[in-house]
Amino acid sequence: MRGVGYGGRVSTRRLLLPVLLLTVGFSLGCNSFVQNPGHYDLDYTEIFLDDCGLLPPKDPPSLWDGSLLITGQVVRMDFELLEMQLVGRFLASGEKFAVDGSVANAEVPINGQTCLLDQVSVHLEGDTVCATQFRGVLRVRYEARRPDSCVCEVRARFNAVQDGLRCE
Protein backbone atom coordinates (compact mmCIF):
# COMPACT_ATOMS: atom_id res chain seq x y z
CA MET A 1 0.00 0.00 0.00
CA ARG A 2 1.09 3.51 -0.60
CA GLY A 3 1.29 6.28 1.99
CA VAL A 4 -0.80 9.35 1.20
CA GLY A 5 0.80 11.83 3.57
CA TYR A 6 -0.55 12.84 6.95
CA GLY A 7 -3.42 10.70 8.04
CA GLY A 8 -2.98 8.34 5.08
CA ARG A 9 -2.30 4.65 5.16
CA VAL A 10 1.32 3.57 5.73
CA SER A 11 2.86 0.60 4.00
CA THR A 12 3.71 -2.40 6.14
CA ARG A 13 6.96 -2.64 4.15
CA ARG A 14 7.98 0.83 5.26
CA LEU A 15 7.60 -0.16 8.89
CA LEU A 16 9.22 -3.58 8.66
CA LEU A 17 12.23 -2.61 6.54
CA PRO A 18 13.88 -0.30 9.14
CA VAL A 19 13.24 -2.86 11.90
CA LEU A 20 14.75 -5.62 9.77
CA LEU A 21 17.80 -3.51 8.89
CA LEU A 22 18.40 -2.62 12.55
CA THR A 23 18.13 -6.26 13.59
CA VAL A 24 20.62 -7.39 10.93
CA GLY A 25 22.96 -4.52 11.78
CA PHE A 26 23.01 -5.38 15.48
CA SER A 27 23.57 -9.07 14.81
CA LEU A 28 26.48 -8.38 12.45
CA GLY A 29 28.08 -5.86 14.80
CA CYS A 30 28.18 -8.16 17.80
CA ASN A 31 31.30 -10.19 18.39
CA SER A 32 30.23 -13.60 19.64
CA PHE A 33 33.74 -15.07 19.34
CA VAL A 34 36.16 -15.60 22.20
CA GLN A 35 39.14 -14.00 20.42
CA ASN A 36 39.86 -10.43 21.55
CA PRO A 37 40.37 -7.74 18.93
CA GLY A 38 43.55 -5.67 19.28
CA HIS A 39 47.33 -5.89 18.87
CA TYR A 40 49.13 -9.26 18.92
CA ASP A 41 52.83 -10.18 18.96
CA LEU A 42 53.51 -13.15 16.66
CA ASP A 43 56.45 -15.47 17.40
CA TYR A 44 57.31 -18.45 15.26
CA THR A 45 57.48 -21.86 16.93
CA GLU A 46 58.56 -23.87 13.87
CA ILE A 47 59.90 -22.93 10.43
CA PHE A 48 58.80 -25.21 7.59
CA LEU A 49 60.41 -23.20 4.79
CA ASP A 50 62.31 -19.90 4.51
CA ASP A 51 63.75 -19.52 0.97
CA CYS A 52 63.72 -15.76 1.48
CA GLY A 53 65.95 -15.58 4.53
CA LEU A 54 63.30 -13.41 6.24
CA LEU A 55 63.09 -15.03 9.65
CA PRO A 56 65.77 -14.16 12.20
CA PRO A 57 67.54 -16.83 14.24
CA LYS A 58 65.36 -18.32 16.99
CA ASP A 59 66.48 -15.71 19.54
CA PRO A 60 64.14 -13.80 19.39
CA PRO A 61 61.68 -15.89 17.37
CA SER A 62 59.71 -12.85 16.27
CA LEU A 63 57.49 -12.64 13.20
CA TRP A 64 55.55 -9.59 12.08
CA ASP A 65 52.99 -8.19 14.52
CA GLY A 66 49.34 -7.64 13.70
CA SER A 67 46.18 -6.00 15.00
CA LEU A 68 42.87 -7.84 14.78
CA LEU A 69 39.54 -6.19 14.13
CA ILE A 70 36.54 -8.50 14.44
CA THR A 71 33.10 -7.56 13.12
CA GLY A 72 30.61 -10.40 13.22
CA GLN A 73 32.31 -13.29 11.40
CA VAL A 74 34.63 -10.99 9.45
CA VAL A 75 38.23 -10.76 10.65
CA ARG A 76 40.63 -8.04 9.53
CA MET A 77 44.28 -7.89 10.47
CA ASP A 78 46.58 -4.91 9.99
CA PHE A 79 49.78 -6.87 9.37
CA GLU A 80 53.21 -5.36 9.93
CA LEU A 81 54.82 -6.89 6.81
CA LEU A 82 54.62 -4.15 4.14
CA GLU A 83 51.73 -2.61 6.12
CA MET A 84 49.39 -5.15 4.56
CA GLN A 85 45.73 -5.60 5.44
CA LEU A 86 44.56 -9.20 5.67
CA VAL A 87 40.84 -9.98 5.46
CA GLY A 88 38.95 -13.19 6.12
CA ARG A 89 36.43 -14.76 8.43
CA PHE A 90 35.85 -17.16 11.26
CA LEU A 91 35.22 -20.70 10.09
CA ALA A 92 32.15 -22.75 11.07
CA SER A 93 33.63 -23.88 14.41
CA GLY A 94 33.96 -20.26 15.60
CA GLU A 95 37.42 -20.95 17.05
CA LYS A 96 39.36 -20.95 13.78
CA PHE A 97 39.79 -18.13 11.31
CA ALA A 98 41.68 -17.50 8.09
CA VAL A 99 42.80 -14.19 6.58
CA ASP A 100 44.52 -13.32 3.30
CA GLY A 101 46.06 -10.26 1.73
CA SER A 102 48.47 -9.11 -0.96
CA VAL A 103 50.53 -6.14 -2.07
CA ALA A 104 51.76 -5.44 -5.61
CA ASN A 105 55.00 -3.82 -6.80
CA ALA A 106 56.89 -4.05 -3.51
CA GLU A 107 60.63 -3.47 -3.29
CA VAL A 108 62.16 -5.71 -0.60
CA PRO A 109 65.54 -7.16 0.38
CA ILE A 110 65.83 -10.93 -0.20
CA ASN A 111 68.98 -12.85 0.68
CA GLY A 112 71.17 -9.74 0.41
CA GLN A 113 69.73 -8.32 -2.82
CA THR A 114 66.96 -5.79 -3.48
CA CYS A 115 64.07 -7.24 -5.45
CA LEU A 116 61.11 -5.55 -7.14
CA LEU A 117 58.26 -8.02 -6.62
CA ASP A 118 55.16 -8.35 -8.75
CA GLN A 119 53.19 -9.49 -5.71
CA VAL A 120 53.57 -10.41 -2.06
CA SER A 121 50.78 -12.61 -0.75
CA VAL A 122 50.08 -13.68 2.83
CA HIS A 123 47.80 -16.41 4.13
CA LEU A 124 47.33 -16.80 7.89
CA GLU A 125 45.24 -19.42 9.67
CA GLY A 126 44.57 -18.91 13.36
CA ASP A 127 43.13 -21.19 16.02
CA THR A 128 41.83 -19.55 19.20
CA VAL A 129 43.53 -20.79 22.38
CA CYS A 130 41.85 -18.25 24.68
CA ALA A 131 40.71 -14.61 24.45
CA THR A 132 44.29 -13.27 24.39
CA GLN A 133 46.09 -15.97 22.42
CA PHE A 134 45.85 -17.82 19.12
CA ARG A 135 48.20 -20.07 17.20
CA GLY A 136 48.39 -21.18 13.62
CA VAL A 137 50.31 -21.29 10.37
CA LEU A 138 51.54 -18.48 8.14
CA ARG A 139 52.56 -18.47 4.47
CA VAL A 140 54.28 -15.52 2.81
CA ARG A 141 54.93 -15.79 -0.93
CA TYR A 142 57.18 -13.40 -2.87
CA GLU A 143 56.50 -13.50 -6.62
CA ALA A 144 58.58 -11.87 -9.36
CA ARG A 145 59.10 -12.44 -13.08
CA ARG A 146 62.85 -11.97 -12.78
CA PRO A 147 65.33 -12.78 -11.35
CA ASP A 148 64.49 -16.26 -10.10
CA SER A 149 66.39 -15.55 -6.87
CA CYS A 150 63.61 -13.08 -5.94
CA VAL A 151 60.92 -15.79 -5.99
CA CYS A 152 60.64 -17.39 -2.57
CA GLU A 153 58.31 -18.48 0.19
CA VAL A 154 58.15 -18.55 3.98
CA ARG A 155 56.00 -21.06 5.85
CA ALA A 156 55.97 -21.22 9.63
CA ARG A 157 53.92 -22.22 12.64
CA PHE A 158 53.37 -19.34 15.08
CA ASN A 159 51.93 -18.33 18.43
CA ALA A 160 50.21 -14.91 18.86
CA VAL A 161 49.80 -13.25 22.26
CA GLN A 162 47.98 -10.04 23.16
CA ASP A 163 49.73 -7.72 25.65
CA GLY A 164 51.85 -10.60 27.02
CA LEU A 165 48.72 -12.28 28.45
CA ARG A 166 49.29 -15.98 27.72
CA CYS A 167 46.62 -18.55 28.54
CA GLU A 168 46.97 -20.61 31.68
Side-chain angles (χ1 to χ4, degrees), residues 53-66:
L54 293 178
L55 302 181
K58 196 132 172 95
D59 189 27
S62 183
L63 283 170
W64 304 276
D65 294 349

Side-chain angles (χ1 to χ4, degrees), residues 3 19 21 23 36 39 53 55 76 80 83 85-86 90-91 105 114 126 128-129 137 142-144 146 148 157:
V19 172
L21 290 174
T23 304
N36 283 346
H39 183 82
L55 302 181
R76 286 183 170 75
E80 188 177 48
E83 298 180 8
Q85 186 172 72
L86 311 178
F90 276 95
L91 305 177
N105 300 320
T114 300
T128 299
V129 177
V137 291
Y142 283 3
E143 299 172 29
R146 291 195 183 95
D148 288 343
R157 188 177 311 277

Side-chain angles (χ1 to χ4, degrees), residues 141-153:
R141 181 176 290 159
Y142 283 3
E143 299 172 29
R145 285 185 215 127
R146 291 195 183 95
D148 288 343
S149 57
C150 290
V151 178
C152 60
E153 189 170 330

Side-chain angles (χ1 to χ4, degrees), residues 35 40 127-135 159-161 166-167:
Q35 197 69 61
Y40 284 84
D127 193 1
T128 299
V129 177
C130 67
T132 60
Q133 189 174 346
F134 64 93
R135 63 176 61 113
N159 191 38
V161 179
R166 295 186 181 276
C167 304

Side-chain angles (χ1 to χ4, degrees), residues 15 29 34 137:
L15 292 176
V34 174
V137 291

